Amino acid sequence: MDGPDKFQFAIDRGGTFTDVFARCPGGKVRVMKLLSEDPANYQDAPTEGIRRILEEETAIKFPRDQPLDTDRIEWIRMGTTVATNALLERKGERIALLITRGFRDLLHIGNQARPKIFDLEIQMPEVLYEEVIEVEERVVLKRDGCGLPKDPSIKTFVGSSGDSLEVWEPLNLEHLKHELLGVLSRGIRSLAVVLMHSYTWSSHERQIGELARSLGFSHVSLSSEVMPMIRMVPRGYTACADAYLTPCIQRYLDGFCSGFRNQLKDLQVLFMRSDGGLTPMHSFSGSRAILSGPAGGVVGYAITTYNHKQPQPVIGFDMGGTSTDVSRYAGEYEHVFEATTAGISIQAPQLDVNTVAAGGGSMLFFRSGLFVVGPESAGAHPGPACYRKGGPLTVTDANLCLGRLLPDYFPKIFGPSEDQPLARDDTLRLFQELTAEINRFQSGRPGVGAPLSVEEVAMGFIRVANEAMCRPIRSLTQAKGHDTSRHVLACFGGAGGQHACAIARSLGMKTVFIHKYGGVLSAFGMALANVVHEAQEPCSVAYDADSFPLLEERIAALERQCIEALQRQGFHRSQIDTEPFLHLRYERTDCALMCSAKGYPASVGSCRVGDFQAAFNSRYLTEFGFTIPSRVIVVDDIRVRGTGSTGIRCESRIQPGGQPPRLEAVTKCFFEEGYMDSNVYLLQDLTCDHAIPGPAIIIDRNSTILVEPDCRASVTEYGDIQISVGSGRPREIGLELDTIQLSIFSHRFMSIAEQMGRILQRTAISTNIKERLDFSCALFGPDGGLVSNAPHIPVHLGAMQETVQFQIKNLQDDLKEGDVILSNHPCAGGSHLPDLTVITPVFRPEAPRPVFFVASRGHHADIGGVTPGSMPPHSKSLQEEGAVFTSFKLVQGGEFQEEAVTEALMAPGLIPGSSGTRNLHDNLSDLRAQVAANQKGIQLVNELIDAYRLEVVQAYMAHIQANAEVAVREMLREFAERWQRQTGALEVESVDHMDDGSPIRLRVQINKEEGSAMFDFSGSGYEVFGNCNAPRAITLSALIYCLRSMVGRDIPLNQGCLAPINVIIPKGSILDPSPDAAVVGGNVLTSQRIVDVIFKAFGVCAASQGCMNNITFGNQKTGYYETVAGGAGAGPRWDGRSGIHTHMTNTRITDPEILEKRYPVVLKRFELSPGTGGAGQFCGGDGVIRELLFREEVILSVLTERRAFRPYGLQGGSPGAPGLNLLHRRDGRTINLGGKTSVPIQPGDVFVLRTPGGGGYGKCEEREKAQTPSKKHSRSFAERGSVFDYRMAQETV
């Protein structure tokens, strides 16, 4: 490696530490780590790192109080968490939001889904803006077939995407100027602007930007410039983030520059963006800076670990103090184009870095018999217990307890005066206390093994932490059709080396790679990275021969932009590469893939740039398992990524030592086998001819690497560590309860259900399952009892258990290997007919009957019936709602029964006024996908049985069910104790009503000693002549949801939750109707009232909106369905959230721009309805107002509740306002549609939906006395990445 003439610095300024990688003149490498904040010693950590290295290497004094001379510096490259921290802590610039009139609360409502479905106190990140200005302007897309009267005064324009637009309301700049001056006078200097359809026609936004800057605003973020992509909500969030963060970054950069002579004007200073490319300092903006630091690590391991000659994909594993970052590289960087950080969806190219729990500082808990790691973190202060600041037990403490961290090799920087070594005694004392607590808990339970030692407890937490980190790695790889075991694990970060071997072994990986600069790999990656400039614009054409000339022209124009921008930065044309991308999707789907034609040269029938269709089909097939050859492919965006190659490589070969490795020490480490002598080596003493068998510890300056037994570490020619991972000694597991193994099995059972869901989502074809993720997958025991259910769609909880148990009783010996059962009938545990459940028994050679069952339930968009969508508002019998399956053999003897299931799906068409399924192709495709998901579940169950034995797996199935039972019994005992103390009674009761007056009545009797309860719904109304009848399974789902919410923490969701509960539901009632009763409203409406009644009985919180507000419209050409948010109920410590979905639903709503582009409507308003939440000491949340103007003839159907009976308040709180459904006819009439109806609509009619508010809690006069509840700032991490976004999407259905 040739050395540079001057110093080169690459720096990662993290939240806790700043890492500096420096190449000195002559080639010497310096690495330094210092605190990011140390105001007593220096103002800025990166500047201080540069100063120290210059001073030490040149022997010239550089006083701290004087700007640094840059004559000896060639370049500086940096990544920083300044933007991320400002976003997490909400410490950005004061900003105002300018948005099209009628949408003032759009970014508050967002996608209307709550982040944690069981949290009754709904905590959402605060919006970034202080004030909102509604802009008087309106642009709509021109629509063929629009039935509205023509207005000759309306101007028409063509947007950059090729769409035609009409200006219905010109921009009122005069009125806006007055509003802006008011904002300016209140000290706000930064603006975010987002207008409807500005992604394609930005004229109004540009005029606003010019006006604002002329008035003196220092920063204006126009959404059309920040990221010109369709979807108003994430584009608005991105513009807000940019306006909120860019001034903070600019202030930091100004401060950084001030530490150098000439303000760094003559020096190349580059910053790492979220997409893994460097950009000049003046171009570094807030919306592109969120992953600035982690992106450097991805670049680092991608360049140093991946071998292009022998390509093997790599998983990046960056374990820090608070959290762990997981990513993947297989020859190309994997980007996502929308990701959520700290509650804000950012629309911008970002590396797919998945941040998950279980960092070194993740806290350890023992809860209801389970070992739990994180997500709470001890942070830097107080830090782990061993830091001598009174902190809690953490993963770091567990490693110290087991002898895997050696205090003698840590700096003495701990304790209040920061001059003490790690405190192993403090760690051992707390572990002894926790071990005693665990053994006390176990001593009272039957079938429990011997008491645990301190080391066994610490080892248990390490195993649980490892399993928690394995789950997102499996998800990241298998979600895209990749085999996890075929990857190399690239480990970096301070804490990862202690866990790498165990995680690789658990995932079946054979190789771990740890770079010699693994402790500072993010900084090192910045030294290796290239400079990137991107250009992007929206598009709206089909990918076909007619559009090729346009695509080629636009790609060429964007390439010129990138080349010119990089040439201005000093790159020669020979150093510049451009790569074009098209954002492609199949028509009538939302699943777009950003595709490069790299590797797919132009062919006959493709555009000249490359064969994008072949690239799209190949990637779609890999990720989803199929293609749709007959479907048109649509281009949503055109993007070009320009790269200026720096040509920098910082690797140098090391010479063999010719001697055995120098042994530093021998220590005792605890492993599964017990304490073992482990050799200790210093990395700096090792050379490329050294191999280290495990167990051993290799110590670097910034990290500790554990080589486990049956593993072997070798040193590469560049001085890096490569570990060959053996399979390890099999661990014998008995049938008795081992609480550590229980926690491991909890993760494994849940992982089976999660991986089934990934297969279903990949292989399904319908929008409902593939994109809205409206499905659940679950594992059941031989008795049909639920073992694990993922993800947690509330209305599916527990309901599938009823379905499986019905099939066991109904089919008995007729259930054979190779059979798959299809069912949706309410009497067979169904919820409503569109939810089709596919059940597969798991057979083993050693057992005559099924040993487990796997099942998947998916919502099919249409299965026939009297209305499209199979959700008629006025159905009176089950037959009107679609095809019915009780115990239908979908697969018999291994053969898919296509002809028979087709006949059954078309059967409703034989009933007058009804139709068979309107989308047979999607039904059949999705049913095959459900069968495939079940097959994956069977494979995973068999692998688990092969690893542990059938008896052990079934024993732990029972143990995990008993664990859920323990948590529910504890909750019931605590409530009984409190209630008896307050009232002297052990009984609670409540009643609420449906809008037709039908009562839902509940009486609960609690046995305090047993921790059990009788839930008696006797006295509830009769079955109704309508569709609000709720099958028994719905009541059980609502009950499990309520119990889990009242427990208040994560517990396994399985049949154990209901073990302490006896449920009485009267036959023939609205909660257990006759087999032919209509039930579609019971699933979406009555389920909410059951929840209201249970929470009212226990006094948990006031009623939420109690409705899903089901809205459907359609004609022969199109059909649309949505549910709409309302107000959440207040509780004893919180105000209810406004404009949110609650309890048994969590459906995302369609973005306004997508809605108007695809459907014949104009969304006139979507905002909160002030004052609709009930007053009280804590106020209920407000409902929303949603106005739809129709442009074509359609049939509108509404299926709603809480239009007569208001959501109740509690403890003196006022009820929430009822909802209201109005229709403004184009002839001037206004009609109250009532709660449930279908009505023909004419162009020009406007439907106005006002959703209910939530009830208040406590008396109004107490509100002023009550302290405002403080915001919770738990020391947890900010999850992010595609795995997190998938889980959030899965829980928002």
Side-chain angles (χ1 to χ4, degrees):
M1 176 183 70
D2 295 330
D5 295 329
K6 294 184 176 183
F7 287 88
Q8 300 169 339
F9 291 97
I11 304 169
D12 175 28
R13 186 191 184 280
T16 305
F17 290 104
T18 289
D19 298 334
V20 183
F21 173 87
R23 289 179 76 206
C24 308
K28 181 180 179 181
V29 169
R30 288 290 309 273
V31 171
M32 182 175 289
K33 189 180 283 277
L34 61 164
L35 289 169
S36 293
E37 301 286 346
D38 191 358
N41 292 307
Y42 46 81
Q43 291 298 311
D44 178 70
T47 308
E48 176 65 12
I50 293 171
R51 189 194 68 79
R52 289 184 188 180
I53 289 174
L54 287 175
E55 198 167 80
E56 292 167 12
E57 292 299 320
T58 64
I60 299 171
K61 284 290 182 185
F62 290 87
R64 280 201 183 103
D65 58 354
Q66 294 179 20
L68 280 172
D69 184 353
T70 60
D71 288 345
R72 293 175 178 81
I73 302 174
E74 182 178 342
W75 49 250
I76 299 171
R77 299 173 173 198
M78 273 182 64
T80 175
T81 59
V82 168
T84 313
N85 292 343
L87 192 60
L88 289 170
E89 299 166 12
R90 292 300 193 262
K91 292 182 178 178
E93 185 78 354
R94 295 178 64 199
I95 70 168
L97 170 68
L98 279 66
I99 194 165
T100 301
R101 185 169 57 184
F103 297 92
R104 65 168 185 259
D105 301 308
L106 183 67
L107 299 189
H108 171 97
I109 300 168
N111 64 17
Q112 76 180 7
R114 62 196 189 277
K116 296 183 179 179
I117 58 176
F118 297 111
D119 285 5
L120 301 176
E121 180 183 0
I122 300 170
Q123 291 192 316
M124 303 283 286
E126 295 299 315
V127 293
L128 302 180
Y129 51 84
E130 281 186 35
E131 295 192 31
V132 180
I133 297 176
E134 293 191 78
V135 181
E136 294 181 5
E137 68 88 43
R138 190 62 160 98
V139 174
V140 301
L141 293 169
K142 190 174 182 181
R143 187 175 185 86
D144 293 336
C146 177
L148 296 174
K150 304 290 185 192
D151 184 346
S153 67
I154 288 179
K155 293 182 178 178
T156 302
F157 298 89
V158 176
S160 58
S161 63
D163 291 307
S164 295
L165 301 102
E166 298 175 340
V167 179
W168 282 16
E169 183 178 2
L171 176 62
N172 187 340
L173 282 175
E174 196 55 45
H175 180 263
L176 182 61
K177 181 178 179 180
H178 173 73
E179 298 258 29
L180 287 174
L181 288 171
V183 166
L184 205 55
S185 70
R186 292 185 286 277
I188 294 176
R189 298 284 184 275
S190 186
L191 300 177
V193 185
V194 55
L195 304 180
M196 277 286 277
H197 302 298
S198 63
Y199 68 94
T200 182
W201 193 71
S202 59
S203 176
H204 284 178
E205 282 197 359
R206 284 188 279 108
Q207 291 177 58
I208 291 172
E210 291 168 7
L211 173 63
R213 292 184 187 100
S214 71
L215 294 175
F217 284 92
S218 56
H219 184 86
V220 182
S221 291
L222 306 180
S223 74
S224 53
E225 293 179 355
V226 172
M227 181 46 66
M229 293 179 76
I230 189 171
R231 293 203 300 140
M232 188 180 187
V233 172
R235 195 174 72 253
Y237 282 141
T238 307
C240 285
D242 198 71
Y244 187 74
L245 299 174
T246 301
C248 297
I249 289 174
Q250 195 54 56
R251 278 195 296 275
Y252 174 74
L253 295 180
D254 290 345
F256 177 64
C257 292
S258 68
F260 296 85
R261 191 175 298 171
N262 297 326
Q263 302 282 307
L264 292 173
K265 284 177 183 172
D266 301 321
L267 195 67
Q268 187 193 56
V269 182
L270 301 171
F271 274 76
M272 177 62 77
R273 299 195 310 186
S274 300
D275 63 0
L278 296 165
T279 192
M281 181 167 57
H282 61 80
S283 301
F284 193 49
S285 64
S287 60
R288 301 294 183 101
I290 303 299
L291 296 183
S292 177
V298 176
V299 173
Y301 83 74
I303 292 176
T304 59
T305 308
Y306 186 79
N307 185 341
H308 286 271
K309 293 178 182 176
Q310 296 176 318
Q312 186 177 3
V314 184
I315 292 293
F317 178 71
D318 178 8
M319 186 176 178
T322 305
S323 58
T324 297
D325 286 343
V326 174
S327 55
R328 180 178 184 273
Y329 182 81
E332 293 183 2
Y333 294 112
E334 297 191 352
H335 290 100
V336 292
F337 295 86
E338 182 183 329
T340 302
T341 300
I344 301 298
S345 292
I346 306 291
Q347 254 190 346
Q350 304 162 60
L351 290 171
D352 188 11
V353 177
N354 291 268
T355 302
V356 295
S362 293
M363 294 162 59
L364 311 180
F365 306 96
F366 182 74
R367 292 172 174 161
S368 303
L370 277 181
F371 282 57
V372 179
V373 177
E376 297 88 350
S377 171
H381 300 284
C386 58
Y387 280 18
R388 299 180 182 269
K389 293 182 181 177
L393 283 176
T394 67
V395 172
T396 295
D397 292 295
N399 278 309
L400 180 64
C401 177
L402 298 173
R404 299 172 173 205
L405 292 179
L406 305 179
D408 291 347
Y409 295 91
F410 270 71
K412 295 181 179 180
I413 56 171
F414 304 103
S417 56
E418 299 185 347
D419 58 357
Q420 299 292 306
L422 287 173
R424 192 167 189 269
D425 290 346
D426 291 355
T427 291
L428 287 176
R429 176 177 51 79
L430 290 181
F431 262 118
Q432 286 163 357
E433 294 172 5
L434 181 58
T435 302
E437 176 194 333
I438 291 169
N439 288 330
R440 277 196 305 273
F441 179 88
Q442 294 198 135
S443 63
R445 303 181 70 188
V448 177
L452 297 173
S453 68
V454 166
E455 290 84 359
E456 287 170 330
V457 168
M459 188 71 194
F461 279 112
I462 293 294
R463 291 173 60 203
V464 172
N466 290 343
E467 187 60 36
M469 289 182 282
C470 286
R471 277 172 65 183
I473 295 174
R474 290 190 190 103
S475 295
L476 181 66
T477 51
Q478 293 170 0
K480 297 179 179 178
H482 307 300
D483 184 344
T484 311
S485 66
R486 295 182 181 273
H487 292 67
V488 172
L489 188 69
C491 178
F492 55 106
Q498 298 133 50
H499 299 259
C501 289
I503 285 172
R505 179 179 287 148
S506 182
L507 294 168
M509 296 178 179
K510 302 302 181 189
T511 305
V512 171
F513 186 89
I514 303 174
H515 194 271
K516 63 185 173 188
Y517 300 131
V520 294
L521 195 66
S522 289
F524 184 59
M526 289 164 203
L528 306 179
N530 291 322
V531 179
V532 169
H533 183 88
E534 290 203 349
Q536 181 170 324
E537 64 182 37
C539 188
S540 185
V541 299
Y543 183 81
D544 57 29
D546 292 340
S547 65
F548 290 165
L550 171 67
L551 294 174
E552 291 160 4
E553 176 196 332
R554 296 316 306 153
I555 287 171
L558 296 178
E559 284 181 331
R560 284 194 298 274
Q561 280 185 37
C562 292
I563 291 167
E564 289 167 6
L566 290 168
Q567 286 176 331
R568 285 195 295 272
Q569 295 178 44
F571 287 96
H572 188 269
R573 181 63 184 87
S574 62
Q575 297 175 283
I576 299 172
D577 288 317
T578 60
E579 186 174 4
F581 295 81
L582 297 183
H583 204 197
L584 302 172
R585 62 179 171 84
Y586 284 121
E587 194 174 39
R588 304 196 308 278
T589 74
D590 284 333
C591 200
L593 299 175
M594 190 69 79
C595 295
S596 162
K598 190 176 180 181
Y600 297 90
S603 62
V604 177
S606 80
C607 72
R608 286 179 295 182
V609 180
D611 194 344
F612 287 96
Q613 182 169 349
F616 173 74
N617 285 335
S618 174
R619 187 164 157 206
Y620 205 93
L621 183 65
T622 300
E623 293 202 19
F624 304 124
F626 67 94
T627 58
I628 316 175
S630 58
R631 193 76 66 88
V632 171
I633 297 174
V634 177
V635 184
D636 277 343
D637 301 278
I638 305 169
R639 168 178 166 243
V640 172
R641 182 176 176 88
T643 303
S645 176
T646 57
I648 293 168
R649 290 293 175 268
C650 302
E651 302 279 32
S652 58
R653 287 182 169 85
I654 61 172
Q655 298 300 314
Q659 299 290 328
R662 190 181 77 81
L663 181 63
E664 173 75 10
V666 178
T667 188
K668 287 193 177 295
C669 279
F670 191 88
F671 297 96
E672 297 286 357
E673 300 85 349
Y675 276 109
M676 299 179 71
D677 285 341
S678 304
N679 291 343
V680 180
Y681 302 92
L682 301 182
L683 180 59
Q684 66 195 40
D685 295 338
L686 301 179
T687 58
C688 60
D689 54 348
H690 289 156
I692 310 293
I697 294 175
I698 301 172
I699 294 176
D700 185 18
R701 283 165 293 184
N702 299 305
S703 60
T704 298
I705 301 164
L706 180 70
V707 185
E708 295 208 358
D710 199 27
C711 296
R712 186 178 184 84
S714 57
V715 182
T716 72
E717 60 180 333
Y718 292 107
D720 309 317
I721 297 291
Q722 185 165 307
I723 303 175
S724 298
V725 180
S727 56
R729 198 178 79 181
R731 188 170 185 268
E732 280 297 316
I733 307 294
L735 303 184
E736 71 279 358
L737 174 62
D738 176 334
T739 50
I740 299 166
Q741 202 62 41
L742 180 70
S743 301
I744 301 294
F745 267 103
S746 176
H747 281 287
R748 294 298 294 271
F749 285 141
M750 189 61 78
S751 182
I752 290 172
E754 287 173 347
Q755 290 182 67
M756 287 173 64
R758 284 295 199 169
I759 293 293
L760 178 51
Q761 186 253 349
R762 276 186 57 221
T763 56
I765 196 170
S766 70
T767 299
N768 261 7
I769 293 180
K770 186 168 212 60
E771 289 151 23
R772 290 187 62 243
L773 308 180
D774 192 349
F775 64 82
S776 276
C777 295
L779 172 67
F780 304 86
D783 62 349
L786 179 64
V787 178
S788 62
N789 191 124
H792 318 306
I793 296 172
V795 83
H796 290 176
L797 289 173
M800 274 200 285
Q801 172 176 303
E802 293 272 304
T803 307
V804 176
Q805 291 177 334
F806 176 89
Q807 304 308 325
I808 293 172
K809 293 174 189 170
N810 195 42
L811 294 173
Q812 299 183 12
D813 292 336
D814 192 26
L815 199 54
K816 305 271 195 315
E817 189 165 8
D819 289 351
V820 179
I821 309 304
L822 172 63
S823 182
N824 68 347
H825 198 295
C827 75
S831 46
H832 65 170
L833 295 187
D835 281 344
L836 297 183
T837 305
V838 173
I839 304 158
T840 309
V842 182
F843 284 90
R844 293 282 293 186
E846 62 265 39
R849 291 181 175 275
V851 296
F852 281 95
F853 290 85
V854 289
S856 53
R857 175 170 286 183
H859 184 104
H860 288 239
D862 196 296
I863 54 162
V866 295
T867 61
S870 305
M871 294 189 67
H874 281 319
S875 53
K876 302 295 190 293
S877 69
L878 194 66
Q879 286 69 32
E880 295 177 87
E881 296 177 356
V884 179
F885 302 91
T886 305
S887 296
F888 183 89
K889 288 202 174 180
L890 179 65
V891 178
Q892 189 162 13
E895 197 170 309
F896 188 82
Q897 304 294 302
E898 182 168 343
E899 189 176 327
V901 75
T902 298
E903 183 180 334
L905 286 165
M906 300 308 297
L910 303 174
I911 301 169
S914 188
S915 167
T917 179
R918 298 163 182 87
N919 201 344
L920 179 63
H921 177 262
D922 282 12
N923 293 137
L924 295 175
S925 296
D926 286 353
L927 286 172
R928 285 193 177 93
Q930 289 178 258
V931 172
N934 287 6
Q935 283 303 118
K936 179 66 174 179
I938 291 172
Q939 174 200 330
L940 294 169
V941 169
N942 280 323
E943 287 175 4
L944 199 61
I945 293 171
D946 290 342
Y948 289 100
R949 301 192 339 262
L950 174 62
E951 297 82 0
V952 171
V953 176
Q954 289 188 332
Y956 274 90
M957 171 202 75
H959 294 326
I960 206 74
Q961 290 170 333
N963 177 261
E965 178 183 340
V966 166
V968 173
R969 288 190 188 276
E970 285 178 355
M971 181 273 293
L972 289 170
R973 286 192 188 100
E974 289 170 9
F975 175 81
E977 184 73 37
R978 190 170 65 251
W979 189 250
Q980 190 175 41
R981 198 165 54 244
Q982 291 174 4
T983 67
L986 287 173
E987 187 176 296
V988 295
E989 59 183 10
S990 66
V991 65
D992 205 342
H993 297 82
M994 305 295 288
D995 280 351
D996 67 358
S998 296
I1000 308 291
R1001 196 177 300 276
L1002 173 64
R1003 181 166 167 258
V1004 184
Q1005 294 175 296
I1006 304 172
N1007 184 318
K1008 186 171 75 171
E1009 285 69 34
E1010 293 181 0
S1012 62
M1014 168 90 74
F1015 282 70
D1016 186 355
F1017 289 92
S1018 298
S1020 294
Y1022 295 107
E1023 174 184 320
V1024 297
F1025 188 57
N1027 60 26
C1028 281
N1029 301 294
R1032 175 185 169 84
I1034 294 293
T1035 300
L1036 296 181
S1037 296
L1039 185 50
I1040 288 183
Y1041 167 78
C1042 292
L1043 292 171
R1044 166 61 183 83
S1045 296
M1046 289 190 287
V1047 167
R1049 64 175 186 273
D1050 283 339
I1051 61 170
L1053 287 163
N1054 56 48
Q1055 75 166 2
C1057 294
L1058 290 179
I1061 309 298
N1062 189 14
V1063 184
I1064 299 174
I1065 303 173
K1067 283 271 186 194
S1069 72
I1070 191 174
L1071 302 184
D1072 193 359
S1074 63
D1076 293 327
V1079 297
V1080 70
N1083 184 65
V1084 296
L1085 299 177
T1086 312
S1087 61
Q1088 297 281 50
R1089 195 67 71 259
I1090 297 167
V1091 172
D1092 287 342
V1093 168
I1094 295 171
F1095 283 153
K1096 187 177 184 182
F1098 282 85
V1100 173
C1101 59
S1104 294
Q1105 68 159 335
C1107 177
M1108 298 187 192
N1109 301 299
N1110 303 272
I1111 309 301
T1112 309
F1113 62 80
N1115 54 27
Q1116 294 300 314
K1117 297 181 291 183
T1118 189
Y1120 177 72
Y1121 168 69
E1122 69 181 15
T1123 63
V1124 184
R1133 300 176 306 280
W1134 69 85
D1135 290 332
R1137 172 81 179 179
S1138 300
I1140 197 79
H1141 257 323
T1142 52
H1143 301 325
M1144 298 301 282
T1145 188
N1146 205 24
T1147 315
R1148 295 184 176 195
I1149 200 159
T1150 304
D1151 188 88
E1153 290 175 343
I1154 297 287
L1155 180 71
E1156 294 192 359
K1157 185 174 178 64
R1158 297 189 186 170
Y1159 302 99
V1161 293
V1162 171
L1163 184 60
K1164 298 186 68 176
R1165 291 174 75 190
F1166 188 33
E1167 56 194 19
L1168 299 181
S1169 183
T1172 50
Q1177 179 181 353
F1178 299 100
C1179 295
D1182 290 331
V1184 305
I1185 303 172
R1186 189 166 171 86
E1187 290 189 11
L1188 293 170
L1189 166 66
F1190 291 92
R1191 305 174 76 173
E1192 293 179 10
E1193 291 184 9
V1194 296
I1195 299 295
L1196 171 69
S1197 298
V1198 295
L1199 186 58
T1200 59
E1201 271 284 325
R1202 290 291 194 199
R1203 269 51 186 173
F1205 288 88
R1206 301 168 68 180
Y1208 62 78
L1210 272 186
Q1211 301 296 323
S1214 300
L1220 182 64
N1221 305 328
L1222 298 177
L1223 181 63
H1224 297 312
R1225 288 290 193 188
R1226 64 180 181 181
D1227 61 9
R1229 290 179 298 149
T1230 297
I1231 302 166
N1232 184 340
L1233 295 178
K1236 302 168 186 67
T1237 193
S1238 284
V1239 59
I1241 296 292
Q1242 298 298 315
D1245 290 348
V1246 177
F1247 172 60
V1248 181
L1249 173 69
R1250 294 176 178 267
T1251 66
Y1257 191 101
K1259 297 176 182 175
C1260 290
E1261 52 268 28
E1262 298 294 322
R1263 186 167 180 84
E1264 290 185 11
K1265 300 178 191 175
Q1267 291 186 342
T1268 303
S1270 60
K1271 299 288 179 189
K1272 291 182 183 176
H1273 291 293
S1274 65
R1275 290 188 181 91
S1276 61
F1277 63 98
E1279 279 192 273
R1280 64 176 173 234
S1282 63
V1283 174
F1284 169 71
D1285 287 333
Y1286 170 84
R1287 196 177 77 245
M1288 290 297 98
Q1290 186 92 69
E1291 294 183 359
T1292 54
V1293 175

